[in-house]
Amino acid sequence: MNSDETDIATCPPIDVSVSDAPNIASITTAADIWLSSLDEGTAQQVRYCLGDQEMHSWTNVPGRRSGGIELRELTKEQQQLAWNLVARFMSESGTAKARLIANEITQTARATPLGSHTVALFGDPRRDGSWGFQVDGHHLALNFLVHESDIILAPAFLGAQPLSVNGQAPLIDEARLGRALIQAFTQEERDLAKQDALIGRDVIVGSGRGHLDRGRTYDVSQFEGIGVHIASLSQQSANVVNNLIDEYINNLAEPFAGRVRATVDESIDEGLVVYDTRNEDIYYRVFVPNRMLIEYNDVSSDHVHTVFRLLGDDPFSDYGAYAARVRVPRTIAEHYSTSPHHQIALNMSQTKKRMARSE
């Protein structure tokens, strides 16, 4: 074992119960099947403790990841088993996007070799109720976290250059909905949302060009107060924004995507939308303070970057409860049972039921 490899047996214990939910069990089984296909040396290369710094070392820049193992270093069977695991985490449409970016788009672009995306696993899915899995590389970075009966996918970076191959465009709906939103804005909304000099750069809160995820420590508070408030949008504009948010969240499989969307909806009225245009290219940002960030940027006419992040200090933010190993793990169920605003709603619902029974 070299200095970059982890003895998983020495990792700190994770005090999170293993879920018996069938959808979680199927994901855990897929992870176990993949791990069982690896020899001891290969398994040591891909495994890390949950919360290890390597967990924050994903990048969409070719050749910058220092840990994990590239898919092309695995056998064809092992590669397919890794993709089978990805497919358990993601929706059908999300899986199709990921595979198209990692395969046909990458092969056509020739910016990096086919199979150069890296996979890494954090924690022990055979033993613990919380563990993580990553796939990252050129134009694709997926950070999955299982936490008892919940799953999050954040941060997630998807990009494409070229935009399509053989008529297949992985990010066509992200682009279409962004343009539809700009068209839907009233003149007043457009005046508030329009910002300058955002086109052609990278997404602002992405991984950057270094080894570590710089977006993890980016001060997103500078986005507060900038743009048009979602709560003030016309019904037409609000509908498009909601469809746009769904497009990003629904890369994750159900029922997990719906649970993430529910946490976003708690604060959605505080959200802000920003956009920029230059010729046919667009940029947009949907920012919900302490909850969610979506960015889309046409880096050039045939090159797009997107990023989806979950913000805040609770376990339903980027990397979940293990962003810094300082938070107390909770599940979404516990969040709903302990948050004051959910308690108010629950009490109102129970009061209505009692009144209905007494009539």
Side-chain angles (χ1 to χ4, degrees), residues 115-227:
S116 59
H117 288 78
T118 296
V119 288
L121 189 138
F122 301 86
D124 191 347
R126 296 163 171 162
R127 180 194 67 192
D128 300 326
S130 199
W131 54 275
F133 181 69
Q134 289 180 352
V135 179
D136 79 301
H138 195 213
H139 281 152
L140 182 69
L142 305 171
N143 293 271
F144 301 103
L145 180 75
V146 176
H147 188 68
E148 201 169 273
S149 58
D150 299 314
I151 292 174
I152 63 169
L153 169 52
F157 182 106
L158 286 81
Q161 185 188 31
L163 299 183
S164 65
V165 174
N166 297 326
Q168 301 180 88
L171 302 176
I172 189 170
D173 290 325
E174 289 84 346
R176 175 184 59 81
L177 287 166
R179 290 178 170 84
L181 177 59
I182 295 169
Q183 289 297 316
F185 280 147
T186 66
Q187 187 59 55
E188 181 181 3
E189 291 168 350
R190 189 171 287 115
D191 291 342
L192 290 169
K194 179 67 168 68
Q195 300 293 311
D196 297 326
L198 295 173
I199 297 290
R201 302 178 183 179
D202 198 351
V203 289
I204 298 171
V205 194
S207 68
R209 296 191 173 274
H211 176 48
L212 293 175
D213 170 20
R214 69 179 178 87
R216 179 170 165 252
T217 56
Y218 190 90
D219 182 12
V220 296
S221 67
Q222 62 189 283
F223 297 151
E224 294 179 6
I226 298 175

